Amino acid sequence: MPPPPRPQIEDASDSDSDSEPSEMDPADFPPALPPNDSNDDSSDLPALPPTKDLSAYAHYQCLYPVYFDALRTRRTGRRVSRALASPNPLAREIVDAVAALGLRTLFEPAKTHPKDWANPGRVKVLLRQQGSARIKNSCVLFFFFCFLFLFWKLD
């Protein structure tokens, strides 16, 4: 059986001017249209008020989606057991679930975790206010959140 034929490389020359695209002026193109927000899935979500003074939220506990991602390892950022975690959580879903716990939250959609820069969003949660704590610490918050989030995803 003979070996298969090898591909051959052809030399291109400047004499092939009919195959070159003609130069175009950028002004020949129509102007860019503004992005269409009518297909945005987040249009049904309530708008959050803009925050100018972020120092008031410095003592809030930060939650990133990577903390609860079942597809991540502990080394890559997951902070709860795999049994309690859910695959690919979004920051907006975390905001809704934590708000259902009755805690004050701040959603920062532009913030990212250093180990999870492809899934943007950070949620800040107020655990203690004026000496009283409904939730003792961040570990308890993670535990309550995971159970609530698992039931939230089932619905």
Side-chain angles (χ1 to χ4, degrees):
M1 180 171 192
R6 293 185 178 195
Q8 299 205 359
I9 299 174
E10 294 183 19
D11 289 332
S13 65
D14 291 336
S15 64
D16 296 336
S17 63
D18 57 343
S19 65
E20 289 182 22
S22 62
E23 291 187 25
M24 296 184 74
D25 186 22
D28 294 341
F29 292 99
L33 298 174
N36 187 0
D37 292 336
S38 63
N39 295 335
D40 189 11
D41 292 338
S42 64
S43 61
D44 59 342
L45 299 175
L48 298 172
T51 54
K52 292 187 171 65
D53 184 25
L54 294 178
S55 64
Y57 301 101
H59 60 282
Y60 280 41
Q61 175 70 39
C62 293
L63 300 178
Y64 291 97
V66 71
Y67 292 176
F68 310 103
D69 193 351
L71 304 177
R72 296 291 189 122
T73 62
R74 293 257 185 188
R75 180 172 283 171
T76 59
R78 184 173 41 88
R79 291 199 178 178
V80 297
S81 70
R82 195 173 299 252
L84 292 176
S86 62
N88 299 318
L90 299 175
R92 185 64 207 192
E93 295 171 337
I94 294 172
V95 170
D96 295 338
V98 172
L101 286 173
L103 300 172
R104 292 184 58 193
T105 61
L106 171 69
F107 178 47
E108 297 174 314
K111 300 291 185 174
T112 59
H113 190 275
K115 292 183 179 180
D116 190 28
W117 51 267
N119 188 3
R122 174 171 72 182
V123 181
K124 287 189 152 194
V125 180
L126 180 62
L127 292 183
R128 294 182 180 91
Q129 63 185 48
Q130 300 170 353
S132 65
R134 291 184 58 198
I135 294 182
K136 188 175 178 179
N137 55 31
S138 62
C139 292
V140 175
L141 173 67
F142 291 170
F143 186 75
F144 280 142
F145 169 76
C146 287
F147 275 110
L148 181 67
F149 197 65
L150 287 175
F151 289 119
W152 192 283
K153 288 280 209 173
L154 291 176
D155 289 343

